[in-house]
Amino acid sequence: MMPRLLNAVCLSLLLASLPIGAQWLAPEHQSHPLVGQLWYSADNQFTDLDELIDRLPPGSWLLVGELHDNPDHHQLQTQLIEALAAQSRLGSVAFEMATSEIQPELDTWLGRGQDVTPEDLGWNQGWGWSRYEAQVRAALDHAGRVVGADLPRDAQRKAYQTGSPEGILDHAHSEFMKALLFSSHCEQLPREHLDNMLQVQLARDQHMAQRLAQYRDKDKVNVFIAGAIHAHRDLGVPRWMHASIPVKVVLLSALSESTTAQTYLPVPYPGFPLAQLSADILWFTPANTPQDYCAAFK
């Protein structure tokens, strides 16, 4: 068999073997040649879920950065939790979507995930339960601990008024984060509020880093599910974690027309040179139909 044909056959077998290969939910680019694949940015190599798990050291945190509205990102998170559990390697599972003040409820329902309701957990309705039900149930059933990672609302309001407990990182990071906050609020947020909003973002990342350190299972692989920016190695929670804690970052990446994996790495930010360190691994999925969420403000 010719090498090119052999490569094509191997790729077809890889895609066919994906547990959810015929069940993608986001409608765009379901037949893309990269869909379902995992790609290591450092060595420009493709891998699969089993190899990814094999390469994770005990005591590590695997940070999984999602697009909150992409249903395939939620499916892959559940698949990852269940794959680690099947190998008896799952430690703690932490969620940005749960604040630390509901930790008693999460502890109460540990081991009984299939019976839990959002009311039992005091789940924040702002994080749609239908999006996170499968991940939370799987984590409660299989994890050693399920961790509410985010900063409670009262503490966020305090950070807005008095600043984040550990302060800022550097000027370039602060300026980029303020620009990101402005654009993510459809450029409708008064600029005089950006410094305060930045303090809330920093306080949340600092708190989540502390929670990951506190609840790390040193003998197994721990998983943190969060929005992509919080997972970014150069922007979010990893920058506040102690260097002694092994961290790997997987960004769930919705596909566009490009078939070159490198093009999906975040582009360099003006004046902010750490972008090439944003992720260790990209995991490619179909994309939602593009929507202009800011149209109402135009």
Side-chain angles (χ1 to χ4, degrees), residues 102-109 112-124 129 136-137 140:
I102 72 164
Q103 192 61 51
E105 287 79 7
L106 292 168
D107 291 344
T108 295
W109 285 92
R112 297 187 290 152
Q114 297 311 306
D115 299 324
V116 76
T117 69
E119 292 76 21
D120 292 328
L121 298 175
W123 188 262
N124 183 348
W129 177 248
V136 172
R137 289 185 187 278
L140 286 170

Side-chain angles (χ1 to χ4, degrees), residues 41-230:
S41 60
D43 53 14
N44 190 22
Q45 295 290 322
F46 289 95
T47 186
D48 58 30
L49 184 56
D50 287 338
E51 184 182 357
L52 167 65
I53 291 174
D54 288 343
R55 292 173 65 168
L56 294 171
S60 62
W61 273 102
L62 182 63
L63 277 60
V64 184
E66 68 168 25
L67 298 177
H68 296 312
D69 62 349
N70 189 305
D72 292 314
H73 293 190
H74 304 145
Q75 290 198 95
L76 291 183
Q77 291 161 358
T78 306
Q79 181 186 343
L80 173 63
I81 291 169
E82 292 176 342
L84 281 164
Q87 297 187 23
S88 300
R89 296 198 64 204
L90 181 64
S92 296
V93 178
F95 289 89
E96 174 205 350
M97 302 80 198
T99 63
S100 54
E101 62 189 351
I102 72 164
Q103 192 61 51
E105 287 79 7
L106 292 168
D107 291 344
T108 295
W109 285 92
L110 195 66
R112 297 187 290 152
Q114 297 311 306
D115 299 324
V116 76
T117 69
E119 292 76 21
D120 292 328
L121 298 175
W123 188 262
N124 183 348
Q125 295 181 359
W127 296 104
W129 177 248
S130 61
R131 291 180 175 179
Y132 298 100
E133 176 181 2
Q135 303 95 300
V136 172
R137 289 185 187 278
L140 286 170
D141 280 341
H142 301 299
R145 197 76 177 265
V146 179
V147 181
D150 201 9
L151 190 66
R153 294 293 296 177
D154 286 347
Q156 291 187 36
R157 284 189 285 269
K158 181 179 178 181
Y160 184 90
Q161 296 168 348
T162 64
S164 59
E166 298 182 45
I168 66 172
L169 285 167
D170 53 63
H171 179 74
H173 177 268
S174 297
E175 291 304 304
F176 174 75
M177 290 303 296
K178 285 191 289 186
L180 183 64
L181 287 165
F182 186 65
S183 62
S184 66
H185 287 80
C186 299
E187 301 184 353
Q188 299 300 304
L189 187 69
R191 289 187 181 274
E192 60 268 24
H193 294 176
L194 289 175
D195 285 321
N196 303 82
M197 292 291 290
L198 171 64
Q199 294 302 318
V200 175
Q201 184 82 1
L202 294 174
R204 293 179 65 205
D205 284 342
Q206 293 163 11
H207 184 75
M208 288 189 279
Q210 292 169 1
R211 298 287 288 177
L212 299 193
Q214 178 181 358
Y215 288 104
R216 178 171 69 114
D217 186 325
K218 296 181 180 179
D219 298 318
K220 297 190 176 183
V221 175
N222 307 278
V223 177
F224 176 45
I225 292 173
I229 296 301
H230 291 294

Side-chain angles (χ1 to χ4, degrees), residues 232 234-235 265-269 272-279:
H232 269 229
D234 54 344
L235 295 176
L265 285 171
V267 298
Y269 314 125
F272 192 67
L274 297 179
Q276 66 269 26
L277 304 176
S278 59

Side-chain angles (χ1 to χ4, degrees), residues 25 196 240:
L25 299 177
N196 303 82
W240 299 99

